Every structure is written in structure tokens, then in C-alpha cells.
Amino acid sequence: MRFFEGCTALITGASSGLGAEFARQLAPVAGTLVLVARRAVSLDEMKLELEARYTGLRVVVYVMDLTRENQNRDFVEWLKREKIRVNFLVNNAGMGDRGPFVTGDGAKIQAMLELNVVALTRLTHDLLPMLVEGGRGAILNVSSIAGLIPLPHMSVYAATKAYVNSFSDGLRMELRDTGITVTAVLPGPVETEFGRVASRGTGEPEWSSPDELLVSVEEVVRQALVAVAADKARVIPGWKVALFMGLAVALPLGVLRAILQRQVR
């Protein structure tokens, strides 16, 4: 973890799940943590927990809805006023939806597009000049193995994560000579509240993953940070998940479609 010593890390979706775990694992070595989410109470509890354990750590919380462009603009201006220079951006905030596209809630689909694609892109664009000016830093985008293959009953979510994968790779190549690295972490099934939020609870068919592929939140974050420190483009936490996806993407697309269609039936 020497790569992150004294860093100023900004973590979105930091009030729970992977975001909270990123904060916990960075806390022993970071200089400042900027925790962003919509839930003020959870952020304040995280701040108290981390500052009580690590006396040299500065934890700053900012309550905002990343899908609101005006709030993003105010947030970036606030960082400048507070003279907080971020050098590690963790784009963790995201949401999903499980079930047939035709019966999906339009507002939820729009919110997913705004959060997973637009907000991630906008915040990265707004903060990138700061990172580049600093001469050394990193961006970690939390994607998903869903972005590697088309997924029926999670079609929009998978498409948003395919965007994150492509965006991360392209940006990584653009920034190669700037001192800024870009890494995408592609988790498989993880025990967070993601599944509860994504589930519609209507009894409709939903995509489900084998329990054998489940990876802990702690392990996902650990492997993601190791990948950033090693300047890797992508990491799929969990050897079983990595092997499974390696086989899946190697299949001809027609064969893969047939398997996935049979799975959701």
C-alpha cells in the first residue's frame, strides 16, 4: 500500500458497500479521504469511525446526488475553495436493475444511465485537470463483469458497464505519458446492497449468479487497490470469476447468446 501513502482520495458511493470498504482500506495510509454519497448520516458515521482509529487522517464528507449536474459543479468549486487537491479518484457509485427491459421502470433506467455513465464521465472530466497538474495520480473505475458480455434481464446495466470498460481503456491510453494511471475493477457477485436495490421484487425473471462465484467486499477492494498500485488496466477479483469470464468471452458470440438465453428461461 506504499503507492497510496499520503494520498488524497475521493471516493463516490462511500456510504456503504465497496465505497465504504475502499475508505477503510485506504484509511491507514491516506492523508485525506473525501467521501461522497447521498446519505449524510452514513457518511458522518464513517468519518467518526475512521478519524477515531487513525489520528493522522483527515476525513471530509460531502453530501450530493452525482446525477445532478449543478451539484457536481458546486462540488468541484467547493474542492477548489477548500484547497483539496485530489490525486486518487475512485468512481465507485453505481446502480443496477434486474428484470425484463420491457417492464422496467423508466425513471430507474434513466437514473442508472445518469449515475453509471454520465456522472462518472462528468466527474472524471471535471477532476482530471487537477490530477494531471499534480503530475502523479490514479483513477479507479468500478465496473463489472457484466460489461464483458450481453446480459438479458440486465441489458441496460451491462451496457453501462461496457461503457465504463471502454472509457477506462481509452482514457488510460490517452494519459499514458501524464503520470496518471487508469484502472477498471470488474467484480462479479459481491455481498452488498446492490442486489437489493437492483431487484424489482415483482416475481419477474431476474438474472442470478452462481453462489460459487461470490467474492467478499474486502477481497474485491484489496485486489482493486493492488491492481492500481501495479498500474494494471483491468482486474477481475476472484480466480473463479476470472476463469469463468475468460471462458465466457472466448466463446463465439452466437454460442454465448444461446447459453444466456437458456439460462434466463
Side-chain angles (χ1 to χ4, degrees), residues 13-184:
S15 59
S16 64
L18 292 174
E21 185 60 26
F22 274 114
R24 291 188 176 100
Q25 292 197 25
L26 286 168
V29 292
T32 300
L33 294 179
V34 182
L35 308 182
V36 177
R38 293 184 300 173
R39 293 179 287 190
V41 173
S42 298
L43 287 180
D44 288 339
E45 289 174 351
M46 178 66 64
K47 174 181 170 68
L48 290 172
E49 172 194 333
L50 296 179
E51 288 187 336
R53 291 187 63 186
Y54 306 102
T55 55
L57 175 68
R58 179 191 182 195
V59 180
V60 182
V61 301
Y62 195 95
V63 179
M64 66 178 292
D65 182 348
L66 286 162
T67 66
R68 305 289 185 178
E69 184 175 2
N70 62 321
Q71 293 188 24
N72 278 260
R73 188 166 53 248
D74 292 344
F75 173 56
V76 174
E77 290 302 316
W78 175 82
L79 287 173
K80 293 176 181 177
R81 288 197 306 272
E82 296 295 317
K83 295 182 171 55
I84 298 174
R85 299 194 60 83
V86 176
N87 48 33
F88 182 30
L89 171 60
V90 182
N91 282 312
N92 167 71
M95 63 177 291
D97 181 42
R98 290 175 173 166
F101 175 69
V102 67
T103 56
D105 178 74
K108 186 175 183 180
I109 291 171
Q110 183 64 32
M112 182 165 51
L113 291 168
E114 289 286 340
L115 184 57
N116 295 6
V117 175
V118 178
L120 178 146
T121 307
R122 181 168 51 217
L123 186 60
T124 302
H125 186 260
D126 288 344
L127 294 181
L128 192 53
M130 180 188 299
L131 271 72
V132 171
E133 186 178 331
R136 181 177 180 271
I139 298 170
L140 174 63
N141 292 327
V142 177
S143 184
S144 168
I145 59 171
L148 297 175
I149 56 176
L151 279 183
H153 294 176
M154 291 191 76
S155 55
V156 178
Y157 174 74
T160 66
K161 293 306 184 178
Y163 171 88
V164 174
N165 292 341
S166 180
F167 173 65
S168 300
D169 283 346
L171 187 60
R172 176 183 174 86
M173 289 184 278
E174 287 186 33
L175 298 176
R176 174 45 57 192
D177 298 321
T178 65
I180 308 301
T181 66
V182 182
T183 300

Side-chain angles (χ1 to χ4, degrees), residues 236-250:
I236 299 177
W239 70 268
K240 290 182 181 179
V241 183
L243 177 60
F244 178 83
M245 292 310 301
L247 295 173
V249 300

